[in-house]
């Protein structure tokens, strides 16, 4: 048989896929890392962060939402794509207020880990200095919108897994922001619990569980020990639930 | 080709701390015995370590801290004018860092909180001595005020990271921060 | 037919009544529509014409388009009216009388500076008219009692061709289709080479075929009358004077694909056309041209509902439009699947531009050859253009495809144009060297907007205007567009403020490419076109402003203003020079 009715090629490497799989699914299953922040296997893909942009047929597509198609030649780990990924990461940094030394998520943060992975030394763009609201109303969960990258993971987790529909993203353009589904707009008035997927899936330090700060000291945290390319291959909602 | 002459001339380095905590400088000193080797090749110009007040022509300038007041702007410009290569060192210089947490509030709120409403204040008034540099409305990254050649992240960057930056620079090469050393905390 | 009032309509009614959407009203809507409150709140936050803070009893929105915007011959009409009414842009006056703000192009580009007052357009603004408006607002004279001629919108058609010359007899296309059958009618449309008139130019017959061939419980026909591309107003004319043909074309499409429900998604700025469109629909129903058993065809029921948008350019993108039809924020969907197979409520849906449906009706009456006789091989038929800007004869022009830009410029009496923007801000910026190029899908493609810029225009001002438009209209879903369009705006504003650095040229280039290549939908893909075009064709526009290789990225002296005030210092040491 000619290499694959059900094969795609990522940077020349042959990768099998099952019909209906996205390029991302197929790549992860074959232990090929495609950078991503807004995707979490087990949740429906969104395609908003644009870090997983790969090139195929002269076009750039988001691997997490593009269907794999037989014989497709895909470029992933190229200098141009990685440069674009770096710029997008820097955009996320300047859009919010990311002061890593004062953030409890440091070392466990995927935005930061992505920046490490891409070799980001500075933010390049001018800071936006946005003012975004903090919600500390909930006894167990804090929401600091300054660090939210609008990845929509908490929205999907709460809607599709927790079935509580606690979050939504509202507002257009740079005014886009995370809102909470309660009359007061506060987390305390929602049924969210610290054990919910929505409370723990945030890739950055926007949703934090209270009273756990710095249990693992800086220097011994996830991305102090491993890279995001390693951890990114092993994530799945089912696993996350079991670990809880 | 490197000539003897170039070896003999000591590389001039200036350093300063703007809106920072001197932590980056402390970390620089953490190079310990390696500092001795370094000082064979290097001569310090303006720096908190020398107490020289103004920067002469230098090869390398290291800036710790972000830009929070008018004096910071002037010092930073002096460094840019005199240093062939200017490096932003540490989280504060690169994106404002911890001092930039005041950016969540406007400068009036900050001053009132500190000088009028804060605890244990006896004679509440916002200082306005002309000797005191005026605060900028925000704490800015140094790269928003002058052109920066290299960035050394970390809070603070480790002594090893400093060495990894300086060794190639002293040899006239482009420094590369290895990904395993990359840290923003 | 939809029985329940559309969520957007409910919210529009609340906005009209309370001049904002109060929290209780959102809660009530959430209950009534069985939606999460957060979804209703997200809808309110998404559309420009909804607000959570009360607007004035006279709510004035100036268009900020380069053609019908408030900057007229060096005067800023918005600022002038604000001064006259002692208020500031974006804030409702303390006594609730008036609020003044700006909004994206309202499609009155052939009528000079224009505004919406409580949603109704007033065009041809000048200082004198402004003073009279200010007086009426001050005297609190209800808008219904303002001079009627202020609200008259005259369509000026300078050139008519296939579609604008004659109205077909209502029902004639349908009769033809019924007699020859749906299959044959579709074959004729396919043979005509008709391509979509909304911008993308997709083969219309193929789209209808795809939808017809897809299985689904039901199918929908949607007319895209969102016309949000600045400088485009040809659909305004078509909806106003050619609505009969539009309905005919939609009904024809329904017959071919097997749909029973159609929608016209009408941009909120064109709400003033609603009563007239509604009565035209009613008339067709009474003539048996809409409703159950159209023209007594036993198996053909079809009706059309109009859904009015609420101020969001992105809702012109077909999948965002469908989201909006479903009562959600207009965030473009993941495509594929495309609307033809998974559209409104997941069912096969044909979305076409107003002009496309009208062309299809004509083709059915006159035949494929009649249509193909005009235009070029790859671009059959004619294109209706909206021409505005620095020209003597702004208005509507219908040309066969293949017309040169030069011809259009001559006909509209543009003298020594410096540049033209074809297809609106998302289209192409072209200088005189390109004026012999033609308007066609395989040359310069356009949804119908032609903006003419004379020598007196500063291109940087135009770029800033466009950049601001995209940053404001970006739906915010994906990073490169949400942040990148804002960065483009900031960079251009910085250059205009004298803070440009030579490195900004490279910066604009890189940034532009990232926005163009990495974004999720057509808005992002095209948002940087104008800048990238300019860097290629007008390289002097940007460097002319740049004083040095580097300047501080923000206004240094301004950054000291607060502390100067607080400490009451104002000597030399209390200032910083930007360019030292
Ligand atoms: C940001 C954006 C705005 C658009 N606005 C409109 C519009 O106002 N009217 C329109 O007909 N098509 C618009 N389109 C194109 C539509 O997505 C779609 O291609 C078109 O309605 C299909 O109709 P057609 O094939 O008849 O052109 C827009 C596309 C994008 C990406
Ligand atoms: S969320 Fe991540 S990137 Fe942002 S401040 Fe915290 S650790 Fe840094
Ligand atoms: S709060 Fe966290 S998970 Fe939710 S959208 Fe923001 S970054 Fe994503
Ligand atoms: S490109 Fe812009 S408008 Fe389109 S989805 Fe992304 S943010 Fe929204």
């Amino acid at each position: 048989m000619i290499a694959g009715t059900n094969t795609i090629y990522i940077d020349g490497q042959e990768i099998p896929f099952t019909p209906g799989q996205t390029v991302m699914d197929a790549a992860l299953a074959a232990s090929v890392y495609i950078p991503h922040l807004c995707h979490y296997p087990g949740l429906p893909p969104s395609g908003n962060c644009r870090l997983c942009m790969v090139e195929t047929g002269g076009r750039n597509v988001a691997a997490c939402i593009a269907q794999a198609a037989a014989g497709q030649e895909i470029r992933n780990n190229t200098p141009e794509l990685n440069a674009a990924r770096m710029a997008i990461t820097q955009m996320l940094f300047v859009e919010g207020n990311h002061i890593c030394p004062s953030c409890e998520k440091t070392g466990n943060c995927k935005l930061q880990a992505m920046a490490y992975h891409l070799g980001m030394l500075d933010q390049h763009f001018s800071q936006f200095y946005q003012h975004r609201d903090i919600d500390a109303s909930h006894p167990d969960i804090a929401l600091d919108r300054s660090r939210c990258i609008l990845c929509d993971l908490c929205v999907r987790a709460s809607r599709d897994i927790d079935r509580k529909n606690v979050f939504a993203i509202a507002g257009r353009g740079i005014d886009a922001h995370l809102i909470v589904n309660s009359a007061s707009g506060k987390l305390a008035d929602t049924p969210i619990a610290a054990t919910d997927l929505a409370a723990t899936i945030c890739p950055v330090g926007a949703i934090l569980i209270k009273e756990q700060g710095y249990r693992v000291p800086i220097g011994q945290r996830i991305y102090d020990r491993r890279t995001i390319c390693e951890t990114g291959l092993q994530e799945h909602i089912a696993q996350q639930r079991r670990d809880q | 080709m490197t000539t003897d002459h170039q070896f003999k001339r000591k590389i001039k380095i200036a350093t300063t701390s703007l809106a920072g905590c001197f932590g980056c400088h402390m970390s620089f000193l953490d190079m310990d015995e390696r500092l001795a080797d370094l000082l064979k090749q290097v001569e310090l110009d303006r720096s908190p370590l020398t107490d020289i007040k103004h920067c002469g022509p230098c090869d390398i300038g290291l800036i710790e801290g972000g830009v929070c007041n008018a004096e910071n702007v002037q010092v930073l410009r002096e460094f840019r004018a005199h240093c062939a290569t200017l490096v932003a060192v540490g989280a504060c210089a690169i994106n404002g860092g911890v001092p930039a947490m005041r950016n969540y509030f406007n400068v009036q709120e900050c001053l009132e909180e500190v000088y009028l409403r804060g605890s244990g204040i006896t004679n509440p008034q916002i200082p306005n001595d002309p000797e005191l540099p005026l605060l900028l409305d925000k704490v800015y990254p140094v790269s928003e005020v002058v052109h920066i050649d290299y960035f050394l992240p970390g809070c603070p960057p480790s002594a090893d990271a400093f060495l990894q930056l300086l060794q190639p620079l002293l040899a006239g090469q482009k420094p590369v921060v290895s990904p395993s050393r990359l840290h923003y905390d | 037919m939809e029985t329940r009032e559309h969520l957007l309509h409910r919210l529009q009614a609340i906005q009209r009544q309370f001049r904002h959407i109060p929290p209780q009203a959102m809660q009530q809507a959430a209950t009534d529509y069985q939606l999460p409150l957060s979804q209703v709140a997200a809808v309110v936050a998404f559309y420009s014409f909804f607000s959570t803070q009360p607007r004035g009893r006279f709510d004035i929105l100036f268009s900020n388009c380069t053609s019908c915007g408030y900057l007229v011959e060096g005067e800023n009409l918005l600022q002038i009216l604000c001064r006259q009414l002692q208020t500031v842009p974006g804030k409702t006056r303390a006594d609730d009388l008036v609020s003044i703000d700006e909004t994206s192009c309202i499609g009155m580009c052939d009528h000079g500076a224009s505004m919406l007052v409580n949603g109704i357009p007033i065009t041809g603004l000048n200082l004198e008219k402004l003073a009279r408006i200010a007086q009426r607002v001050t005297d609190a004279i209800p808008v219904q009692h303002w001079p009627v001629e202020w609200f008259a919108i005259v369509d000026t058609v300078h050139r008519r061709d296939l579609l604008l010359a004659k109205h077909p007899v209502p029902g004639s296309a349908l009769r033809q289709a019924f007699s020859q059958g749906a299959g044959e009618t579709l074959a004729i449309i396919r043979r005509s080479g008709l391509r979509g008139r909304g911008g993308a130019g997709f083969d219309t017959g193929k789209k209808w075929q795809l939808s017809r061939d897809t299985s689904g419980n039901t199918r929908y026909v949607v007319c895209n009358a969102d016309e949000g591309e600045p400088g485009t107003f040809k659909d305004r004319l078509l909806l106003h004077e050619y609505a009969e043909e539009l309905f005919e074309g939609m009904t024809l499409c329904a017959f071919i694909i097997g749909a029973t429900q159609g929608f016209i998604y009408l941009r909120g700025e064109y709400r003033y056309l609603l009563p007239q469109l509604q009565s035209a629909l009613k008339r067709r129903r009474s003539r048996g041209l809409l409703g159950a058993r159209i023209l007594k065809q036993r198996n053909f029921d079809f009706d059309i509902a109009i859904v009015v948008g609420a101020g969001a350019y992105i809702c012109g993108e077909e999948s965002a439009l469908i989201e909006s039809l479903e009562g959600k924020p207009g965030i473009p969907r993941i495509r594929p699947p495309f609307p033809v197979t998974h559209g409104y409520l997941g069912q096969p849906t044909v979305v076409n531009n107003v002009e496309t449906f009208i062309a299809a009706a004509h083709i059915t009456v006159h035949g494929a050859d009649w249509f193909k006789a005009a235009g070029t091989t790859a671009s059959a038929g004619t294109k209706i253009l909206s021409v505005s800007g620095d020209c003597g004869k702004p208005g509507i022009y219908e040309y066969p495809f293949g017309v040169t830009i030069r011809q259009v410029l001559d006909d509209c009496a543009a003298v020594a144009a410096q540049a033209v923007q074809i297809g609106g801000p998302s289209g192409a910026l072209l200088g005189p060297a390109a004026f012999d190029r033609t308007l066609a899908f395989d040359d310069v493609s356009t949804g119908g907007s032609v903006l003419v810029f004379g020598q007196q225009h500063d291109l940087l001002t135009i770029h800033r205007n466009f950049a601001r438009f995209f940053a404001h209209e970006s739906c915010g879903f994906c990073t490169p567009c949400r942040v990148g369009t804002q960065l483009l705006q900031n960079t251009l504003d910085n250059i205009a403020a004298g803070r440009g650095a030579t490195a900004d040229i490279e910066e604009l280039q890189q940034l532009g490419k990232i926005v163009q290549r990495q974004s999720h939908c057509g808005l992002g893909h095209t948002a940087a076109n104008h800048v990238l075009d300019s860097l290629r064709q007008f390289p002097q526009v940007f460097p002319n402003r740049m004083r040095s290789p580097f300047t501080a990225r923000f206004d240094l002296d301004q950054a000291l203003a607060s502390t100067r005030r607080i400490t009451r210092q104002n000597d030399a040491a209390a200032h910083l020079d930007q360019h030292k």
Side-chain angles (χ1 to χ4, degrees):
Chain A
M1 203 179 78
I2 331 166
T5 29
N6 280 342
T7 321
I8 55 174
Y9 301 86
I10 300 185
D11 295 329
Q13 185 183 338
E14 218 172 278
I15 289 173
F17 73 93
T18 47
Q21 255 187 334
T22 59
V23 171
M24 178 70 82
D25 291 339
L28 293 180
S31 291
V32 170
Y33 178 68
I34 301 177
H36 57 276
L37 283 175
C38 76
H39 183 59
Y40 203 107
L43 284 178
S46 163
N48 65 65
C49 77
R50 313 308 279 177
L51 277 150
C52 72
M53 294 301 282
V54 292
E55 199 190 309
T56 179
R59 282 191 330 128
N60 286 0
V61 298
C64 70
I65 53 175
Q67 299 286 315
Q72 212 173 19
E73 307 247 3
I74 291 160
R75 284 149 54 82
N76 168 39
N77 194 7
T78 70
E80 303 81 53
L81 287 169
N82 286 331
R85 288 169 181 149
M86 169 113 97
I88 290 171
T89 306
Q90 289 165 322
M91 286 180 182
L92 290 171
F93 267 88
V94 298
E95 180 191 27
N97 301 300
H98 294 275
I99 302 173
C100 297
S102 71
C103 175
E104 207 287 323
K105 193 77 172 184
T106 191
N108 292 329
C109 168
K110 286 189 187 161
L111 178 63
Q112 195 186 53
M114 182 62 67
Y116 294 165
H117 169 63
L118 297 165
M120 181 184 118
L121 298 179
D122 74 316
Q123 306 189 342
H124 182 77
F125 304 113
S126 294
Q127 189 73 36
F128 281 16
Y129 305 107
Q130 293 214 74
H131 285 266
R132 287 176 171 174
D133 292 338
I134 289 179
D135 179 349
S137 63
H138 195 281
D140 306 322
I141 301 163
L143 170 61
D144 184 349
R145 293 182 178 83
S146 264
R147 305 184 189 123
C148 172
I149 56 170
L150 301 165
C151 71
D152 194 56
L153 278 172
C154 59
V155 179
R156 281 172 277 158
S158 186
R159 185 189 58 213
D160 300 336
I161 307 291
D162 305 333
R163 310 225 167 258
K164 294 186 181 174
N165 230 330
V166 168
F167 296 107
I169 292 173
R172 221 162 66 192
I174 208 69
D175 295 328
H177 59 279
L178 191 70
I179 60 169
V180 168
N181 188 20
S182 64
S184 64
K186 295 286 185 200
L187 270 181
D189 298 323
T190 71
I192 194 169
T195 49
D196 286 355
L197 184 62
T200 52
I201 200 167
C202 183
V204 293
I207 300 178
L208 292 171
I209 307 295
K210 290 182 177 176
E211 315 273 335
Q212 301 195 345
Y214 300 98
R215 270 197 197 155
V216 180
I218 290 173
Q220 295 169 31
R221 297 181 160 207
I222 300 170
Y223 301 106
D224 293 324
R225 292 178 283 117
R226 305 168 70 199
T227 65
I228 196 167
C229 342
E230 292 160 6
T231 59
L233 293 176
Q234 287 150 10
E235 287 166 341
H236 196 278
I237 293 302
Q239 183 62 39
Q240 223 259 11
R241 297 279 78 190
R242 253 175 274 131
D243 291 350
Q244 270 285 307
Chain B
M1 281 291 241
T2 323
T3 63
D4 274 349
H5 165 77
Q6 275 171 316
F7 263 120
K8 266 179 231 133
R9 186 176 81 75
K10 280 198 167 179
I11 303 283
K12 273 201 158 179
I13 297 186
T15 77
T16 187
S17 177
L18 307 175
C21 70
F22 285 90
C24 292
H25 276 82
M26 299 307 285
S27 191
F28 180 86
L29 295 178
D30 275 346
M31 278 191 274
D32 297 333
E33 71 282 357
R34 289 169 294 184
L35 266 179
D37 289 338
L38 194 69
L39 285 172
K40 287 183 195 141
Q41 299 174 61
V42 164
E43 183 183 340
L44 283 179
D45 192 281
R46 173 175 177 166
S47 166
L49 310 171
T50 60
D51 228 19
I52 297 173
K53 296 289 185 236
H54 284 285
C55 202
C58 283
D59 300 286
I60 301 168
L62 304 179
I63 310 287
E64 169 193 320
V67 185
C68 81
N69 63 29
E71 189 201 21
N72 290 163
V73 173
Q74 268 131 11
V75 172
L76 185 56
R77 283 175 159 179
E78 180 183 307
F79 268 70
R80 180 68 276 181
H82 290 94
C83 301
T85 299
L86 201 58
V87 187
V89 169
C92 302
I94 292 175
N95 81 348
V98 172
M101 290 178 78
R102 86 146 149 98
N103 294 350
Y104 294 120
F105 310 93
N106 70 41
V107 68
Q108 173 128 22
E109 287 166 336
C110 291
L111 289 170
E112 285 178 0
E113 183 61 31
V114 174
Y115 294 106
L116 304 184
R117 287 195 300 266
S119 55
I121 291 173
T122 44
N123 176 20
Q125 74 178 59
I126 293 173
N128 64 352
D129 189 321
E131 288 293 300
L132 293 171
L134 282 191
L135 289 184
L136 295 167
D137 59 345
K138 296 188 191 73
V139 179
Y140 293 90
V142 292
S143 59
E144 295 205 16
V145 178
V146 298
H147 173 72
I148 297 292
D149 300 296
Y150 297 108
F151 298 86
L152 185 66
C155 185
S158 64
D160 286 346
F162 270 106
L163 214 61
Q164 209 190 20
L165 170 90
L166 288 175
Q167 277 168 343
L169 273 183
L170 296 180
Q173 288 157 0
K174 214 174 131 121
V176 183
V177 181
S178 63
S180 60
R181 286 252 162 68
L182 200 48
H183 273 281
Y184 303 154
D185 53 16
Chain C
M1 276 294 289
E2 286 279 278
T3 43
R4 195 174 55 189
E5 181 186 26
H6 195 278
L7 177 63
L8 287 181
H9 295 177
R10 159 78 77 96
L11 295 173
Q12 285 155 357
I14 298 168
Q15 175 79 38
R16 266 195 302 277
Q17 187 181 352
F18 299 103
R19 292 177 283 110
H20 74 300
I21 318 267
Q24 318 82 283
M26 272 193 241
Q27 188 76 65
Q28 190 60 48
T31 310
D32 294 351
Y33 288 76
Q34 294 173 321
L35 293 172
L37 176 60
S38 54
Q39 184 176 329
V40 178
V43 167
V44 170
F46 192 86
Y47 297 91
S48 298
F49 293 166
F50 298 140
S51 57
T52 51
Q53 297 302 315
R55 294 227 173 120
R57 277 174 281 147
F58 294 87
D59 185 26
I60 295 178
L61 293 171
F62 279 90
S63 168
N64 60 16
C65 146
T66 55
S67 288
C68 58
Y70 54 82
L71 293 179
V72 179
E73 286 157 11
E75 303 275 18
N76 183 327
L77 300 186
L78 188 153
Q79 291 294 351
I80 290 172
L81 189 66
C82 279
R83 243 178 285 130
Q84 283 169 347
L85 290 168
Q86 288 149 31
T87 182
V88 288
K91 286 231 171 72
T92 302
R93 211 170 85 169
D95 62 357
D96 265 8
L97 180 70
V98 59
S99 51
I100 301 176
D101 208 339
E102 56 186 280
T103 190
S104 298
C105 177
I106 64 169
M108 297 296 150
C109 317
D110 50 344
H111 287 82
S114 302
M115 59 163 62
L116 295 172
V117 182
N118 296 347
I120 313 167
I122 299 185
T123 64
L125 298 175
N126 51 36
L127 292 179
E128 188 245 318
K129 207 171 197 170
L130 225 49
R132 296 175 63 193
I133 290 171
Q135 193 55 54
R136 278 171 177 74
V137 171
T138 308
D139 298 344
I141 298 174
V143 175
Q144 317 70 289
H145 301 311
W146 293 14
V148 276
E149 63 274 16
W150 286 5
F151 302 98
I153 290 151
V154 189
D155 297 307
T156 317
V157 182
H158 295 284
R159 191 179 193 286
R160 294 172 197 271
D161 211 305
L162 298 185
L163 305 188
L164 299 182
K166 272 204 286 266
H167 294 282
V169 176
S172 54
L174 290 179
R175 285 199 175 83
Q176 181 68 29
F178 296 154
S179 75
Q180 70 203 8
E184 175 56 19
T185 310
L186 179 56
I188 292 170
I189 290 181
R190 292 208 67 166
R191 237 183 304 127
S192 76
L194 174 62
R195 294 170 65 172
R197 270 33 182 171
F202 192 81
D203 183 321
T204 305
K206 192 166 161 193
K207 187 184 273 186
W208 294 14
Q209 182 89 55
L210 281 169
S211 161
R212 183 178 150 96
D213 294 347
T214 305
S215 59
N217 304 329
T218 182
R219 291 178 173 69
Y220 294 97
V221 176
V222 174
C223 169
N224 188 340
D226 197 48
E227 193 160 64
E229 187 73 40
T232 321
F233 49 88
K234 50 107 190 162
D235 292 344
R236 188 194 79 208
L237 162 86
L238 296 175
L239 292 161
H240 186 209
E241 293 181 22
Y242 296 80
E244 224 25 92
E245 292 86 313
L246 166 63
F247 303 150
E248 184 102 5
M250 290 178 70
T251 314
L252 183 74
C253 175
F255 175 63
I256 290 173
I257 69 166
T260 55
Q261 178 65 53
F263 294 102
I264 295 175
Y265 189 87
L266 182 71
R267 70 184 308 221
E269 292 80 350
Y270 291 172
R271 164 182 291 281
Y272 74 99
L273 293 170
L274 188 60
Q276 180 211 327
L277 287 168
Q278 296 287 23
S279 52
L281 284 174
K282 220 157 140 197
R283 197 166 55 237
R284 271 183 86 85
R285 279 182 206 116
S286 68
R287 290 190 194 157
L289 293 169
L290 269 183
R293 302 180 61 219
I294 290 174
L295 291 178
K296 308 220 161 51
Q297 288 286 309
R298 220 173 309 128
N299 290 321
F300 184 41
D301 303 345
F302 178 71
D303 213 323
I304 297 173
I306 302 177
V307 173
V308 185
Y313 164 68
I314 189 59
C315 289
E317 195 281 340
E318 56 184 12
S319 67
L321 185 155
I322 290 170
E323 287 283 297
S324 184
L325 275 184
E326 292 181 4
K328 294 185 250 173
I331 294 183
R333 291 179 176 176
I334 295 170
R335 302 183 321 158
F338 293 95
V340 276
T341 59
H342 297 73
Y344 181 63
L345 303 178
Q347 299 302 316
T349 303
V350 163
V351 182
N352 276 126
N353 178 252
V354 180
E355 188 181 345
T356 312
F357 282 119
I358 293 177
H362 276 274
I363 290 165
T364 307
V365 175
H366 301 109
D369 293 334
W370 168 84
F371 190 69
K372 282 202 299 198
T376 69
T377 328
S379 311
T382 59
K383 184 76 195 91
I384 304 175
L385 302 179
S386 327
V387 181
S388 68
D390 302 322
C391 63
K393 290 158 70 182
I396 302 285
Y397 295 75
E398 184 186 11
Y399 285 103
F401 271 117
V403 64
T404 62
I405 293 169
R406 193 176 303 285
Q407 180 73 50
V408 178
L409 289 173
D410 286 348
D411 292 352
C412 73
V415 187
Q418 166 183 202
V420 282
Q421 181 77 30
I422 308 278
S426 74
L429 177 67
L430 299 170
F435 287 177
D436 286 319
R437 289 180 63 184
T438 61
L439 300 185
F441 291 110
D442 45 1
D443 194 352
V444 183
S445 180
T446 170
S449 156
V450 177
L451 297 167
V452 184
F453 301 124
Q455 300 293 339
Q456 72 277 25
H457 254 110
D458 171 16
L459 285 185
L460 183 60
T461 310
I462 306 288
H463 287 303
R464 286 174 64 204
N465 179 293
F466 290 176
R468 199 155 163 223
F469 168 75
F470 288 115
H472 182 254
E473 297 296 340
S474 162
C475 84
F477 169 78
C478 70
T479 319
C481 172
R482 179 181 73 238
V483 186
T485 53
Q486 187 65 55
L487 285 168
L488 281 169
Q489 181 190 331
N490 295 354
T491 308
L492 293 169
D493 286 352
N494 252 342
I495 294 173
R499 292 192 292 275
T502 37
D504 286 342
I505 301 284
E506 181 60 20
E507 184 62 38
L508 285 170
Q509 185 84 37
Q510 296 300 336
L511 189 55
K513 278 198 202 137
I514 284 166
V515 176
Q516 183 180 60
R517 290 193 194 151
Q518 317 295 335
S519 293
H520 173 65
C521 86
L523 188 148
H525 294 154
T526 56
N529 282 359
H530 65 103
V531 174
L532 296 172
D533 283 350
S534 210
L535 288 170
R536 236 177 291 120
Q537 299 176 69
F538 303 95
Q540 75 289 358
V541 169
F542 304 102
N544 277 357
R545 318 292 178 118
M546 290 164 186
R547 297 226 226 151
S548 57
F550 191 95
T551 325
R553 312 309 288 154
F554 59 97
D555 187 334
L556 282 172
D557 197 51
Q558 185 56 38
L560 287 174
S562 308
T563 35
R564 272 198 300 267
R565 184 175 41 75
I566 297 165
T567 60
R568 274 174 260 112
Q569 297 189 26
N570 204 8
D571 58 357
H575 287 274
L576 282 167
D577 178 356
Q578 190 79 20
H579 297 285
K580 216 195 66 167

